[in-house]
Amino acid sequence: MTLQNRVWPDGSLRAHPARGTLFGNRGGRLHDDQRRLGTARWRSRQWIVCVLDFKGRQRRVMGPGYTELFFLDEPTALAAGHRPCFECRHAAAMAFAHAFPSPGRSRAPDMDRVLHRQRLGPRRQAAFGDLPVGAMATDGTAIWARHASGALLWRPEGYRPAPAPRGKLALLTPQATCAALNAGYAPVWHPSAPDC
């Protein structure tokens, strides 16, 4: 049975058999005892992205406890509004907090408040060339990621190079995360992305 716990860059949760390279959660349990999602898509503002393997911990996916969500890679998770976990991805979380646009040192609850507000707000329009490396946008049909090598078309199984889209696109990556990417935060890409 393919579970509905794969996260798309627009933040939606879908059933898809392709495996991701990272997982995370949205602050709690979103599924029932039959491992089906209810109507809730989050339980708190704390949306995190984690490594698949940490200290040998083993869990039954969509078992007791929180709902495990899976991402193609970190740019996908960031576009969906997640941030690095301070426990299993401490160095990445500290780098993200350092690059996050806020006065002083960014704390997790402060970042979560900003990101949640931006997840729920209207999507800004942007030209693809104005996106920072690691950001994603859509025309409503296709999803593109801005990579150092150029435009990549996002698919659940991985990326493929594509011509850069023209015109205005709906920015998927929250504005604060775009600012962190502009400030130097470097997300971990899926192996299908070109090496630079």
Side-chain angles (χ1 to χ4, degrees), residues 7-12 14 72 75-76 79-80 123 128 131 135-146 151-156 158-160 162-163 165 169-173:
V7 183
W8 255 231
D10 65 3
S12 63
R14 313 221 185 150
L72 174 69
T76 303
R123 299 208 187 270
F128 184 79
L131 301 180
M136 294 190 181
T138 184
D139 65 359
T141 304
I143 297 171
W144 287 273
R146 176 79 186 265
L152 298 178
L153 193 59
W154 183 91
R155 296 281 189 238
Y159 297 100
R160 66 178 170 90
L169 303 168
L171 182 62
L172 296 176
T173 308

Side-chain angles (χ1 to χ4, degrees), residues 52-148:
L52 292 174
D53 185 19
F54 184 65
K55 296 185 177 181
R57 294 178 186 169
Q58 302 263 325
R59 298 177 52 86
R60 178 175 183 255
V61 175
M62 287 180 122
Y66 64 82
T67 300
E68 296 85 353
L69 304 173
F70 294 89
F71 310 92
L72 174 69
D73 61 0
E74 192 171 16
T76 303
L78 295 176
H82 291 249
R83 63 161 175 80
C85 173
F86 274 92
E87 182 181 9
C88 68
R89 299 189 66 224
H90 188 75
M94 293 301 291
F96 187 79
H98 181 73
F100 200 80
S102 65
R105 184 171 164 256
S106 294
R107 295 177 40 242
D110 300 327
M111 291 187 291
D112 292 340
R113 271 191 291 279
V114 170
L115 291 172
H116 197 65
R117 186 173 60 248
Q118 291 179 3
R119 287 188 294 259
L120 298 177
R123 299 208 187 270
R124 290 186 63 194
Q125 298 291 302
F128 184 79
D130 294 336
L131 301 180
V133 170
M136 294 190 181
T138 184
D139 65 359
T141 304
I143 297 171
W144 287 273
R146 176 79 186 265
H147 188 266

